[in-house]
Amino acid sequence: MKAKEFNIKWGMVIDLDKCTGCGACMTACQVENNIAPMVDSSNKLRTLSWMLVFEMSNKKPCPDAEIAYLPRPCMQCGNPACVPVCPVVATDKNEEGGIVSQIYPRCIGCRYCMAACPYHARYFNWEDPIFPKGMEKALSPSTSTRPRGVVEKCNFCHTRLQNAKDKVRMEGGNPEALPDGAYMPACSEVCPTGAITFGDLKNPEHKVHELAKSENAFRLLEKLGLAPQVYYMSKREWVRKLGDNYAATGKPGAEKKHS
Amino acid sequence: MGLDRRGFVKFVVGGVAGTLFTPVIWQSLDDVSIWSQNWPWIPRLNKGEVKSTAALSKLCPAGCAVKVKTLGGLPYAAIGNTANPMSKGGVCPVCAGGAQLMYSPARVASPMKKVGEGKFEAIKWEDAEAMLVEKLTAVKGQEGKLAVISGDETGSANDVFSAFAAGMGSTGFYMMPGEMLTATKGVKLMGGNGQPGFDIAGADFVLMIGADALDSWGATVANQKAFAATRPTGGAATAQFVYAGPVLNNTASVSDKWVAVTPTGASAFALGLANLLIAAGAVSSAPDFADYKALAAKFTPEAVEAAAGVKAEVLKDLAAKLKAAKAPLVIAGASFGQGAGAVDFCAAASLNVLLGRVNVTGGMTVLPTAPKALAAAIGRESALDAGSFLSAVATGKATPAVLMVYEANPAFALPQAGEMAKSLGNIAFKVSFSTYMDETAAMADLILPAPHPYERFDDAMNPYGVAKPTYLAGKPVVKKPVADCKDPVDVLLAAAGKLGVSLGFETYADVIKAKASAVGADLDTLTAGGAWTSDGKGGNLSLGAAALAKVAPAAADPKTLAVAPVTRQAFGSGSLATPPANLLIVREDELTGKDLVVRMNAATAKAAGVTQGAKVKLTAGSGELKARISVNEGVAAGTVAVPMGFGRSAWDEFTKGKGDNVYKILTVSDEAGTGLKVWAGSTVTVAKG
Amino acid sequence: MDRALFPEGLERCSFGKFALWMGFITAFFLFGLYAMLLIFAKGIVVTGLDNYFGFGLWITFDLAVIALGAGAFFTGFLKYILKIDQLKNIINLTVIVGFICYSGAMLVLTMDIGQPIRAWFGYWHPNVHSMLTEVIFCITCYCLVLVIEFVPLVLEQKQLNKIPFLHHLAHNMHVNMALFAGIGAFLSTFHQGSLGGMYGVLIGRPYAFREGFFIWPWTFFLFVLSAVGCGPIFTVLCCTFMEKLTGRKLVDFKTKALMGKIAGTMLTVYIFFKILDTWAWANNYLPSVGMTFDQMFYGVIYGKWLMFTEIILCGVVPAIMLITPSIRNNPTLLYTAGILDCIGITLNRYLFTVQAIAIPLMPFDNWQFYAPNWAEWATSGMIVAYGFLVMSLSYRYLPVFPQEKMLNK
């Protein structure tokens, strides 16, 4: 299958050598996207975390152990595994920019997309979004609340894209050529170390354009051919190796890069 | 015309078929689908104008300069303030969820008085304030009868509280333990006066001994920004970072190297480095260099390996790197932000003196004493610690009748927590000025709800760790607080007036105005999100050899394990339970269900006879902590890493009863030569349970 | 007391005994019904499913019963299209088993989706690229076909058949049954295939993903073959089970052996291709995505023994048993082979459903474990109980087995 191509391709380059794993991105994401706090948040198999920070380990014994933190938003795959499987077209990758959408009122909650996604980027609303009394006053105007029984996922804070376009339009600019930084998801904006660089991968004026081509850049599970729009980078080889399975060659840096 | 059976059937069949050709059924099905999204119990979004207002979000210990996004005047999110030179657009995970904390279910809704064990009754502010005045009147002029515990390190509220205590004839103003208290004492041991600072931004080699500088130590976001500036994404790093501490924590994860130093080995490790540096030719003009040199000579690589668990080649390599660096900086701190001694601080900080890195760019600085808003206030350098005070209460050496607690949670966040809480219980009348129903408020006789940072005036003078004198201030974002609360300082000033204690101010806002003008800062610039800084520097430092002579490598008891509490900014602090918007950040190897998860490496686990997932009890003295084991190689040998901030007994459904409180198993001892209480070297026995 | 309703000339147990039996089964049914209502009220949060295991017991159950229910379409195809007349002795049973399996599966699916109220969106907003859309269409259509095939049997009930209109209706439906059998065979082949295709297209799940022919991954064809390789023998097992329960002979062994031969032949073809497919998957596809065969398995509950059990013990072994006449013609061995066959196909469906999504693909992720909870078991049990109820009523009141009278003289 060939990846769907667009003139604009919103993407991230996440510098894992800068991510301290503090979790501010997860908090900002939860706030922006109105995810209700859960009483048993330690049950990670039932929580909703559009952005999730994984801990990676080089698996060496102390004192040679090393760890790295890997923030995982939706990869917005160029060739998404989740989109073609949806029986009711509740998710699509059609709009300019290549963001994989999710239409909550359309979703029937069959979870086929979740089974399809190897990144576990899709989440199911096991329960209705009930906020502690009063906290609904602090709902963000950006994202509608979702009822129980539907699947949801990161959409690169899509409302922010609309807002950025509106703003540029009002200022007489071209909304199809947003300047670097005009549109940023909440996680990228909040990150205290600026580990998440966001922009249009196809626009040479955006930092991500060059960063994604760096020799230290890689994508998660590159070999599966899903062509994610989220890139990671690290100078540590063991980190790059943990981005994919390298059973065949033992070496990271796949020939399939940059589709 | 009658309707026979055939006609009826025709009518029904025709009707059904006909209806199928109209949009009625399909439209209603479509409506059902929309309707299924809109159940009344599913909250709808609010409408209104979106604005953003600068605020000082003192939810994390250092305080973040943020912009609060409001919708129709109500906060819903916090983003960084790029204009602020401290946080430069970054936000810590706690402040990022600040708007949600305004509506925390743990908020105290109105003044309350205790009417029985764990039972409170809401009362009016007039009654609450009258009660406060009445209790204070009874202890006026009696030394030792009034005590104040503050958990806010930076606010001018401390000036007011300490000046008030003095006006009441009491010297009982105490601070909750933290780096600021210890380090300021450490600076004294090195012949200086003032609070130390560390210029991470200017250094090219940063060795953090203990200090979790990139996640929970000092002005975290400023540190993270300084770190990030040395690592341009896609470019070459301009500085190296090394973390030396017992746990491969968040700071260590992004450092170029983690050196596993046992919880009791930090001083030996630092002096071992000094020894190698001196051997490699380092000299200092400090007057006590000769003593220092002789002292350091005892810390040979072999001795350090025995005391700190660090291999000789690692130590040598590190010493060589420190020597080679143009602008090295050593940050001294306890691995969990408290509990280490002033001598421990001295050991690590002396490396900066040895390397000639004091009061230079990219080095360690000593900040000049900050001006006070009230003349009678107690300065930071002479603050007393709350732990010693409560120990004195326990032994009957101190007998306060009234205790005021401000932004602090001594019932939870002091070592030997069980005994401390008992001591607190011995005090006849306790007033808690608290935004949230924390463990201390739950024990108090009177709870006076404090506003959330978005609802109050507040300031921050020299947050710990900043390299230059720094002052921040903020004003309310919202018109009206969510709860029926009053600013504690305003309440105190009003009470002072009634008690005839003249403090010279009517409101906290006035105090801050006075502080700003004493500092020479423009308050409007500050409340608009700016910061005031100056280049003022404190004096020179010695190597602290006299104090360091007391450093003795601790003898490890093979039957016990050293406790390394692990702090993470996102989990809150002693005075803030994990906020609702941060719950997801807690990993499964930190909390599983209601079980706290403690970590130790495979070799340690094997020696302790425990396996992955096993339930254990960690015991120290009368304190006991229940947990599960996670085998993790990111913990130094002979050490058990315990997440901090769990095991709440008050707060809300999200945190109450989740995990266990590590403070229960931290044991206090006296630091030789300084009289400080220390608990960084606590040990425990592990038993299956 | 209900003797008048019995099929012509056949004996049935006393009404009291029957009522007791039905009551016993109904208890299970009601327990499952309670679980179902709870699920509709509170959502599937009451099940053991989670973010890692969006599919679990229910989907495995669905796929298994649909495969096992394949006896209906395939036997129909052989009987009505290929005119293998001997199959008339068992064709009614295959239809009832098929009907139970498909209607049960549909009920489970409405529970399984998070928004049952939107179940019809599959038709209203169909995604033509999704194998699941095809499954939704074909399963519901085929279920209708099964209803059409089941109706004449109901109409042949002794009392109903006395009504001339119904008698003629049933007769005419019978005459045209070849048409429905044809439609059924077409629909069924497609959705059996699409169920396999559902997994085969999962590009992000190396355990399941397969290359293929045109738009159909190899699993499409393998699922069709495996379904026809077990469906017929499952019907035989149902029949034999009923014989044991009732103590009456219902279908002659010759027909059963013929069904065994049919299933065995298809199973042999299937297992041949399955082995080829697995070999190619392990040696070509997996290395191409950097993975190894070993990475697909973990510990005991995700161990390799599952795959060997599926392919060798419950695949090759029953295939050989069923195509060897001397073994097939021994009733005990025939049934043993049949049981192994059905276990093997069920295991195949389980592995594609659960193992495929359990494998942590991100190398820093961990294996997670899934255990269905009581609510999933209870509702699955409800479907089984429902099957027992339908089958009991059919057996008691409908002329299901044309040979019964002759065999029990």
Side-chain angles (χ1 to χ4, degrees):
Chain A
M1 269 189 266
K2 276 207 72 169
K4 235 176 193 174
E5 280 303 325
F6 302 96
N7 292 326
I8 299 171
K9 228 165 102 177
W10 295 111
M12 284 178 181
V13 178
I14 305 179
D15 187 347
L16 300 182
D17 297 342
K18 278 168 108 168
C19 174
T20 65
C22 74
C25 52
M26 290 175 66
T27 303
C29 173
Q30 190 179 345
V31 167
E32 174 87 7
N33 296 302
N34 294 330
I35 293 166
M38 280 177 61
V39 173
D40 185 8
S41 290
S42 85
N43 182 0
K44 301 302 177 198
L45 295 175
R46 283 279 174 88
T47 49
L48 301 162
S49 36
W50 294 12
M51 172 58 113
L52 180 61
V53 178
F54 280 88
E55 188 180 289
M56 305 162 93
S57 156
N58 71 346
K59 302 212 168 69
K60 286 190 183 166
C62 176
D64 298 319
E66 281 183 46
I67 53 169
Y69 290 102
L70 182 136
R72 193 249 35 224
C74 169
M75 299 287 127
Q76 319 292 353
C77 300
N79 180 21
C82 55
V83 168
V85 303
C86 176
V88 294
V89 209
T91 177
D92 206 356
K93 188 188 178 76
N94 249 337
E95 204 187 328
E96 197 61 66
I99 296 171
V100 177
S101 63
Q102 179 75 14
I103 308 161
Y104 314 119
R106 175 76 64 80
C107 175
I108 61 171
C110 73
R111 305 183 299 291
Y112 188 15
C113 54
M114 292 171 69
C117 177
Y119 305 107
H120 294 294
R122 289 178 160 272
Y123 290 89
F124 183 75
N125 277 274
W126 298 96
E127 290 180 82
D128 278 320
I130 305 301
F131 289 81
K133 198 170 168 287
M135 209 182 279
E136 72 281 345
K137 293 202 189 95
L139 283 179
S140 141
S142 315
T143 318
S144 58
T145 51
R146 288 77 57 190
R148 162 187 113 192
V150 304
V151 171
E152 60 185 48
K153 65 179 275 291
C154 155
N155 54 25
F156 276 176
C157 296
H158 193 262
T159 308
R160 289 179 176 230
L161 172 58
Q162 307 295 357
N163 293 345
K165 282 183 175 177
D166 287 349
K167 196 170 167 222
V168 167
R169 241 181 239 120
M170 302 249 275
E171 289 160 359
N174 177 7
E176 298 310 317
L178 294 176
D180 203 4
Y183 158 41
M184 253 189 170
C187 54
S188 167
E189 182 183 54
V190 81
C191 180
T193 58
I196 306 175
T197 313
F198 185 82
D200 175 7
L201 291 163
K202 286 201 163 171
N203 187 338
E205 285 164 22
H206 286 208
K207 287 197 257 343
V208 289
H209 178 75
E210 281 307 311
L211 289 175
K213 293 178 184 166
S214 149
E215 60 170 359
N216 290 326
F218 66 95
R219 294 186 284 184
L220 284 189
L221 307 179
E222 180 103 39
K223 290 185 174 191
L224 289 181
L226 300 178
Q229 282 173 213
V230 174
Y231 288 77
Y232 293 90
M233 63 194 303
S234 175
K235 292 184 177 121
R236 292 172 277 186
E237 198 200 3
W238 70 265
V239 172
R240 297 201 297 277
K241 260 179 116 157
L242 269 182
D244 203 345
N245 299 284
Y246 292 96
T249 64
K251 284 198 200 97
E255 55 287 348
K256 281 185 186 173
K257 217 179 238 183
H258 307 306
S259 58
Chain B
M1 190 184 85
L3 184 67
D4 61 1
R5 221 181 79 193
R6 187 172 290 251
F8 175 75
V9 170
K10 270 186 187 165
F11 176 76
V12 170
V13 172
V16 168
T19 312
L20 287 178
F21 281 97
T22 70
V24 171
I25 186 163
W26 312 112
Q27 186 60 46
S28 25
L29 280 173
D30 203 42
D31 283 350
V32 164
S33 72
I34 295 164
W35 185 55
S36 64
Q37 175 96 352
N38 290 334
W39 299 108
W41 56 84
I42 294 173
R44 309 289 169 85
L45 300 190
N46 311 306
K47 291 196 171 71
E49 193 191 353
V50 174
K51 278 187 180 170
S52 73
T53 315
L56 177 60
S57 173
K58 278 179 72 173
L59 291 162
C60 62
C64 285
V66 298
K67 283 196 154 176
V68 178
K69 293 214 260 186
T70 54
L71 179 70
L74 296 178
Y76 69 90
I79 56 170
N81 182 356
T82 43
N84 185 281
M86 273 267 298
S87 44
K88 292 178 181 156
V91 191
C92 81
V94 172
C95 293
Q100 284 61 38
L101 269 173
M102 268 181 74
Y103 303 98
S104 162
R107 266 200 89 162
V108 181
S110 69
M112 296 208 276
K113 77 171 183 197
K114 191 173 186 174
V115 291
E117 202 48 54
K119 281 185 194 144
F120 290 92
E121 187 184 276
I123 54 172
K124 286 202 183 104
W125 267 106
E126 299 100 88
D127 300 337
E129 293 187 85
M131 191 174 176
L132 178 70
V133 170
E134 180 204 320
K135 295 287 176 181
L136 286 170
T137 308
V139 294
K140 194 183 170 193
Q142 299 174 56
E143 167 61 29
K145 289 296 166 193
L146 170 66
V148 180
I149 295 180
S150 169
D152 174 18
E153 287 190 337
T154 58
S156 295
N158 285 352
D159 292 3
V160 181
F161 272 95
S162 60
F164 175 75
M168 288 285 289
S170 168
T171 52
F173 179 77
Y174 307 97
M175 294 291 299
M176 286 296 279
E179 295 281 15
M180 192 183 278
L181 201 78
T182 324
T184 311
K185 300 238 182 312
V187 166
K188 265 189 190 158
L189 294 180
M190 298 169 80
N193 187 26
Q195 160 187 339
F198 300 89
D199 183 16
I200 299 173
D204 73 348
F205 189 95
V206 182
L207 170 61
M208 297 160 280
I209 302 182
D212 180 24
L214 302 181
D215 190 69
S216 65
W217 174 96
T220 312
V221 171
N223 300 343
Q224 287 170 327
K225 285 286 170 194
F227 160 80
T230 68
R231 321 234 145 169
T233 300
T238 57
Q240 283 193 73
F241 287 74
V242 174
Y243 180 76
V247 180
L248 177 47
N249 57 14
N250 294 66
T251 294
S253 78
V254 284
S255 294
D256 297 282
K257 177 146 186 77
W258 169 52
V259 182
V261 176
T262 55
T264 49
S267 294
F269 169 73
L271 292 172
L273 283 172
N275 180 32
L276 289 173
L277 285 167
I278 293 169
V283 282
S284 167
S285 57
D288 54 350
F289 178 65
D291 291 346
Y292 185 78
K293 185 178 171 181
L295 181 77
K298 282 189 257 171
F299 292 88
T300 59
E302 295 70 33
V304 173
E305 185 163 350
V310 179
K311 289 226 164 64
E313 60 265 33
V314 173
L315 197 71
K316 284 175 187 162
D317 180 56
L318 193 54
K321 281 183 176 149
L322 267 177
K323 184 157 191 299
K326 284 201 184 85
L329 169 70
V330 179
I331 303 182
S335 71
F336 56 106
Q338 58 177 262
V343 176
D344 295 316
F345 172 84
C346 205
S350 68
L351 288 169
N352 289 314
V353 182
L354 181 65
L355 292 162
R357 303 290 305 150
V358 176
N359 289 332
V360 294
T361 305
M364 180 176 137
T365 55
V366 178
L367 307 188
T369 309
K372 293 183 275 194
L374 290 90
I378 293 173
R380 234 166 247 193
E381 51 295 331
S382 31
L384 303 169
D385 86 284
S388 302
F389 161 65
L390 283 180
S391 300
V393 172
T395 54
K397 282 182 197 150
T399 53
V402 176
L403 171 71
M404 294 199 286
V405 180
Y406 172 71
E407 299 291 337
N409 188 10
F412 176 86
L414 284 174
Q416 295 173 214
E419 289 156 46
M420 293 295 181
K422 213 181 279 171
S423 300
L424 269 179
N426 290 340
I427 301 172
F429 188 75
K430 300 169 289 291
V431 188
S432 170
F433 293 95
S434 179
T435 316
Y436 303 103
M437 189 54 134
D438 60 19
E439 286 77 5
T440 307
M443 286 182 77
D445 302 283
L446 179 64
I447 309 174
L448 300 175
H452 176 280
Y454 300 170
E455 301 164 342
R456 66 174 12 171
F457 288 93
D458 210 344
D459 63 353
M461 170 59 79
N462 293 345
Y464 182 69
V466 293
K468 286 176 178 181
T470 304
Y471 185 55
L472 301 158
K475 61 180 183 193
V477 172
V478 292
K479 287 206 178 97
K480 197 173 156 285
V482 168
D484 182 16
C485 53
K486 276 192 185 181
D487 192 289
V489 178
D490 293 355
V491 173
L492 191 71
L493 288 170
K498 284 183 191 143
L499 285 156
V501 177
S502 168
L503 295 174
F505 294 100
E506 301 234 322
T507 64
Y508 193 24
D510 296 338
V511 175
I512 293 168
K513 207 181 276 172
K515 180 73 148 262
S517 80
V519 167
D522 174 37
L523 189 60
D524 291 338
T525 312
L526 298 184
T527 53
W532 169 90
T533 56
S534 94
D535 286 322
K537 285 191 182 96
N540 277 327
L541 296 178
S542 74
L543 288 154
L548 289 172
K550 309 238 167 48
V551 174
D557 176 356
K559 284 188 206 125
T560 63
L561 292 180
V563 183
V566 182
T567 47
R568 282 186 69 190
Q569 182 87 284
F571 300 170
S573 59
S575 51
L576 182 68
T578 312
N582 295 31
L583 297 163
L584 290 175
I585 301 172
V586 184
R587 289 194 311 269
E588 274 174 312
D589 62 352
E590 292 165 327
L591 187 73
T592 298
K594 291 193 167 184
D595 294 335
L596 187 72
V597 182
V598 299
R599 285 169 282 166
M600 54 178 78
N601 70 36
T604 310
K606 199 177 166 201
V610 292
T611 51
Q612 175 75 26
K615 283 197 165 185
V616 291
K617 274 183 196 162
L618 308 183
T619 318
S622 61
E624 183 185 276
L625 177 129
K626 284 183 187 158
R628 277 181 190 278
I629 294 287
S630 167
V631 176
N632 185 305
E633 291 306 312
V635 185
T639 304
V640 54
V642 187
M644 207 164 201
F646 295 94
R648 302 282 175 172
S649 60
W651 299 89
D652 49 28
E653 57 178 342
F654 302 112
T655 49
K656 189 177 176 176
K658 301 285 177 80
D660 211 341
N661 183 5
V662 65
Y663 282 104
K664 292 199 298 191
I665 53 162
L666 296 177
T667 42
V668 178
S669 55
D670 292 305
E671 187 180 40
T674 64
L676 269 179
K677 299 283 178 199
V678 293
W679 52 94
S682 300
T683 57
V684 287
T685 53
V686 179
K688 281 175 201 160
Chain C
M1 69 190 263
D2 55 347
R3 175 166 292 271
L5 299 170
F6 292 168
E8 194 63 55
L10 291 175
E11 271 310 309
R12 293 294 182 252
C13 70
S14 75
F15 186 75
K17 202 171 170 189
F18 182 67
L20 208 63
W21 161 254
M22 292 298 272
F24 175 68
I25 300 296
T26 306
F28 284 94
F29 182 81
L30 288 178
F31 181 55
L33 193 69
Y34 163 72
M36 184 173 89
L37 294 176
L38 193 71
I39 286 160
F40 283 138
K42 292 193 167 179
I44 55 171
V45 70
V46 301
T47 69
L49 296 167
D50 57 45
N51 290 330
Y52 272 42
F53 296 95
F55 290 174
L57 175 68
W58 278 339
I59 297 288
T60 307
F61 183 83
D62 273 352
L63 264 71
V65 297
I66 286 173
L68 298 173
F73 92 86
F74 195 59
T75 314
F77 171 75
L78 296 175
K79 157 84 170 55
Y80 294 108
I81 312 289
L82 298 188
K83 310 277 182 206
I84 301 177
D85 197 51
Q86 195 190 350
L87 295 175
K88 70 174 188 292
N89 297 331
I90 200 164
I91 192 81
N92 290 339
L93 181 63
T94 65
V95 167
I96 300 172
V97 169
F99 171 76
I100 291 167
C101 287
Y102 276 79
S103 52
M106 281 177 62
L107 190 56
V108 171
L109 279 176
T110 54
M111 267 186 275
D112 196 20
I113 59 175
Q115 286 277 348
I117 208 167
R118 301 176 185 168
W120 51 280
F121 279 20
Y123 311 96
W124 200 237
H125 306 287
N127 173 12
V128 293
H129 302 289
S130 174
M131 290 282 175
L132 189 55
T133 304
E134 198 181 9
V135 170
I136 294 173
F137 270 71
C138 290
I139 289 190
T140 41
C141 292
Y142 182 55
C143 201
L144 277 178
V145 170
L146 282 169
V147 171
I148 293 169
E149 292 184 351
F150 193 15
V151 164
L153 189 63
V154 176
L155 298 181
E156 278 169 8
Q157 199 277 333
K158 196 162 71 186
Q159 299 301 335
L160 289 177
N161 210 31
K162 286 179 184 160
I163 303 165
F165 174 71
L166 295 183
H167 174 79
H168 289 119
L169 183 64
H171 177 74
N172 281 309
M173 287 178 89
H174 261 307
V175 170
N176 293 304
M177 203 46 81
L179 173 68
F180 295 116
I183 295 171
F186 174 79
L187 289 173
S188 209
T189 309
F190 262 87
H191 77 245
Q192 293 285 0
S194 296
L195 284 170
M198 255 180 77
Y199 293 117
V201 297
L202 294 181
I203 180 172
R205 297 289 176 189
Y207 187 89
F209 181 74
R210 294 292 189 278
E211 302 281 314
F213 169 72
F214 194 41
I215 59 163
W216 298 291
W218 297 130
T219 47
F220 182 96
F221 306 100
L222 290 172
F223 269 53
V224 178
L225 285 173
S226 58
V228 297
C230 71
I233 199 75
F234 181 68
T235 315
V236 170
L237 292 176
C238 287
C239 172
T240 308
F241 181 63
M242 289 171 75
E243 287 177 343
K244 300 279 178 219
L245 275 182
T246 58
R248 294 169 67 87
K249 297 225 56 97
L250 301 174
V251 175
D252 63 337
F253 185 73
K254 222 174 123 200
T255 306
K256 290 184 184 174
L258 173 63
M259 292 288 272
K261 183 179 170 186
I262 293 164
T265 310
M266 300 318 292
L267 184 65
T268 307
V269 176
Y270 160 69
I271 211 73
F272 171 74
F273 284 112
K274 174 71 184 170
I275 290 170
L276 273 187
D277 170 74
T278 306
W279 183 263
W281 166 76
N283 288 296
N284 298 329
Y285 171 69
L286 284 181
S288 81
V289 291
M291 303 202 76
T292 62
F293 185 69
D294 288 349
Q295 275 176 292
M296 301 286 112
F297 305 92
Y298 179 78
V300 176
I301 68 161
Y302 295 123
K304 284 181 197 151
W305 67 274
L306 287 163
M307 182 177 259
F308 288 109
T309 306
E310 176 211 337
I311 297 178
I312 309 297
L313 180 64
C314 297
V316 175
V317 171
I320 292 171
M321 288 170 81
L322 289 174
I323 54 165
T324 310
S326 56
I327 301 178
R328 179 173 73 224
N329 289 329
N330 173 320
T332 311
L333 292 177
L334 175 73
Y335 304 145
T336 308
I339 290 167
L340 286 178
D341 182 354
C342 293
I343 291 175
I345 302 308
T346 305
L347 194 53
N348 171 267
R349 301 309 195 250
Y350 165 79
L351 290 173
F352 269 92
T353 308
V354 174
Q355 182 97 5
I357 54 177
I359 299 164
L361 291 167
M362 293 183 286
F364 45 85
D365 202 2
N366 299 315
W367 284 84
Q368 299 290 347
F369 299 95
Y370 158 75
N373 76 355
W374 73 272
E376 290 164 87
W377 287 116
T379 43
S380 301
M382 174 184 81
I383 301 302
V384 176
Y386 153 79
F388 270 73
L389 293 177
V390 172
M391 194 54 92
S392 302
L393 288 169
S394 302
Y395 168 72
R396 192 171 175 86
Y397 299 121
L398 304 179
V400 178
F401 300 102
Q403 292 176 300
E404 188 183 351
K405 203 166 165 185
M406 180 264 289
L407 289 172
N408 293 288
K409 261 183 199 155

